[in-house]
Amino acid sequence: MSEASMLLDYMKEHNNEFLDVLREAVYLETPTEGDKKDLEKCRDYFATIFSDIGFKCKVVPSEDSRYGDHLLMELGEGDEQVLFVGHYDTVYEKGTFGDIWKEEGTKVWGPGVLDMKGGDVQVYMVAKALKELNLLPENKKIVFFLSADEEAGSYSSYMHYAEQAKKSSAAFVMESTRGDYSGGLKIGRYGRGNYTFVAEGKPAHSGQEPENAESGLKELAQQAVYLESLTDLEKGLAVACTSLQSGHAGWPTVPGDGMLTIDARFSTAEMAKEYDKRFKNLTPFNSKVKITTNGGIEKPPFDENDSKNKAIYKKAKEIGKEFGMEMRGIITRGGSDGNFTASVGCPTLDGMGMSGDFVHQPGKEYINTSDIAVRGAFVARMVLEVLRG
């Protein structure tokens, strides 16, 4: 029997175990900035089940009071390692999803079932399969860093991913495939910049002397139109205004100050650098209004054209054929922790988690249970290919 067949049979035989473990994790609701006790219960649950199959588990403090702590889990010994990337926080406040767990046909619904507790449980099943089938290479290591603040932007965890990625032969990001297609992957992600422009002008009475105002509101409105006009999706640039605050409704005053915030997405590091400089040196339309820029690049691009990323995607397409899957990679403007692993030169493959849909949508987010076995077996084979070199 081939290795692929062994792994697929194992995953099929343990399909119910996968669902039992996932159900427990989903019932432990974990809003990113929720009750620390709730986050701790879920963190400890993952630490317990991974410890039970031989992982060394260490709590990594977030050092940010808004978020829960992270987990560093390691299986095996040696300097060569594969890094799994995951998070256990979700966007849902407790009780907002409706039914915590619902099964019907080949679908399961629940808060975070797709993004991304399903992917976290995949790591558990992959490691368990490799151990029980005696396939885990000697003197090699599986590392799983499980964070608690990804949905907020990974402000307290990104440096840990970068640190582990520098030591890893590959990083597998267990985010969802994006959609129902069984062979889906994410092979590139735009970088993200978040900028706030603060205007300082001169207020004036809006009835008696509006002509004497140096309007911060007008300045920022003009900047908003200009900044969004920079969007060029073919080039790989997206700029969207997300907030404009200036003045008070009903007050007879032309406001002198205000704040405008944009979300900018870049497909390449060169583009990110170019527009970061432009945003930090914005020229006012009205020279009498001062503009100060706060913020900067939050996530570096995950470049699909990097030779290391292209090579691991090529390998994934070869492995997919062993399971009758045509692997198809997409590039998305949404970011993940894969942006951090790819940016330090670690070959990165994203969207390695479950298939399903309606991420971040209360009552709708689901996974396809019919893909549990084949997705798990595929990930296990990818681990072996990387660790065997």
Side-chain angles (χ1 to χ4, degrees):
M1 180 182 291
S2 70
E3 199 169 77
S5 297
M6 288 172 59
L7 287 164
L8 186 57
D9 286 349
Y10 180 95
M11 295 301 178
K12 288 178 178 178
E13 291 166 5
H14 291 78
N15 196 76
N16 288 338
E17 180 182 358
F18 180 104
L19 290 171
D20 289 343
V21 173
L22 179 58
R23 183 186 300 108
E24 187 71 23
V26 170
Y27 267 104
L28 295 169
E29 293 185 84
T30 46
T32 303
E33 295 188 39
D35 190 315
K36 295 296 186 294
K37 291 182 179 178
D38 290 334
L39 290 160
E40 185 176 329
K41 287 178 182 177
C42 189
R43 182 202 73 201
D44 289 349
Y45 172 68
F46 279 114
T48 297
I49 63 172
F50 277 88
S51 294
D52 287 345
I53 61 171
F55 277 79
K56 297 175 183 176
C57 300
K58 176 185 177 182
V59 174
V60 179
S62 71
E63 299 181 355
D64 189 319
S65 61
R66 294 173 294 175
Y67 312 122
D69 294 328
H70 318 302
L71 271 177
L72 175 62
M73 300 182 282
E74 300 177 315
L75 178 67
E77 303 291 340
D79 296 329
E80 188 173 349
Q81 66 182 47
V82 162
L83 174 64
F84 278 110
V85 175
H87 65 87
Y88 68 92
D89 61 313
T90 74
V91 298
Y92 303 104
E93 294 300 319
K94 288 182 71 175
T96 60
F97 199 91
D99 293 336
I100 298 295
W101 180 271
K102 184 177 73 170
E103 293 184 51
E104 186 176 306
T106 59
K107 289 182 171 55
V108 167
W109 290 261
V113 69
L114 180 62
D115 185 18
M116 62 173 295
K117 290 178 178 177
D120 298 334
V121 175
Q122 270 184 284
V123 181
Y124 169 77
M125 295 304 302
V126 165
K128 194 167 183 284
L130 294 178
K131 280 199 69 177
E132 294 185 4
L133 294 174
N134 296 312
L135 293 173
L136 192 64
E138 292 184 5
N139 302 316
K140 304 292 177 69
K141 190 161 55 174
I142 292 175
V143 176
F144 185 19
F145 193 87
L146 187 61
S147 69
D149 67 345
E150 195 276 342
E151 297 295 2
S154 303
Y155 297 117
S156 70
S157 60
Y158 75 91
M159 70 289 288
H160 300 295
Y161 282 117
E163 177 187 357
Q164 289 297 328
K166 290 175 183 177
K167 300 184 288 187
S168 302
S169 300
F172 296 140
V173 186
M174 303 309 290
E175 295 281 1
S176 65
T177 64
R178 188 175 175 183
D180 291 327
Y181 183 65
S182 301
L185 294 170
K186 294 170 182 172
I187 58 172
R189 289 180 180 271
Y190 281 29
R192 182 191 185 214
N194 196 44
Y195 300 87
T196 297
F197 307 102
V198 180
E200 298 175 68
K202 175 187 172 184
H205 194 288
S206 56
Q208 295 183 9
E209 50 175 2
E211 67 276 12
N212 291 329
E214 306 297 346
S215 174
L217 174 57
K218 180 180 178 181
E219 174 64 35
L220 292 177
Q222 290 177 292
Q223 293 291 350
V225 174
Y226 161 69
L227 290 164
E228 288 210 348
S229 75
L230 297 175
T231 293
D232 187 336
L233 299 184
E234 290 187 7
K235 180 180 177 181
L237 174 68
V239 181
C241 296
T242 56
S243 176
L244 175 58
Q245 303 173 35
S246 182
H248 299 271
W251 285 24
T253 303
V254 176
D257 57 9
M259 292 191 303
L260 170 69
T261 300
I262 65 168
D263 181 330
R265 306 285 170 137
F266 320 97
S267 60
T268 67
E270 292 76 17
M271 187 182 297
K273 183 178 180 181
E274 174 190 346
Y275 282 89
D276 181 67
K277 182 178 180 180
R278 182 181 296 196
F279 295 146
K280 288 179 177 176
N281 295 278
L282 205 59
T283 301
F285 286 89
N286 181 350
S287 62
K288 294 181 180 179
V289 176
K290 178 184 177 182
I291 295 181
T292 303
T293 304
N294 299 318
I297 298 171
E298 294 183 347
K299 276 191 172 77
F302 165 14
D303 187 357
E304 77 280 5
N305 291 316
D306 180 274
S307 59
K308 294 179 181 178
N309 297 330
K310 290 176 73 172
I312 199 166
Y313 175 43
K314 180 180 179 182
K315 178 60 65 176
K317 290 194 285 187
E318 293 171 2
I319 297 300
K321 291 177 182 177
E322 297 179 9
F323 301 97
M325 292 191 297
E326 181 183 353
M327 309 310 293
R328 298 176 187 167
I330 64 166
I331 301 161
T332 174
R333 293 196 290 272
S336 80
D337 290 321
N339 290 68
F340 303 121
T341 61
S343 71
V344 297
C346 180
T348 298
L349 199 56
D350 203 336
M352 295 285 276
M354 294 301 304
S355 70
D357 210 345
F358 297 110
V359 166
H360 294 190
Q361 297 189 40
K364 292 186 176 181
E365 183 176 326
Y366 71 85
I367 62 168
N368 294 302
T369 58
S370 55
D371 285 340
I372 290 174
V374 71
R375 293 289 300 185
F378 164 74
V379 174
R381 277 287 293 121
M382 287 297 297
V383 169
L384 292 175
E385 283 295 308
V386 170
L387 290 181
R388 287 168 179 164

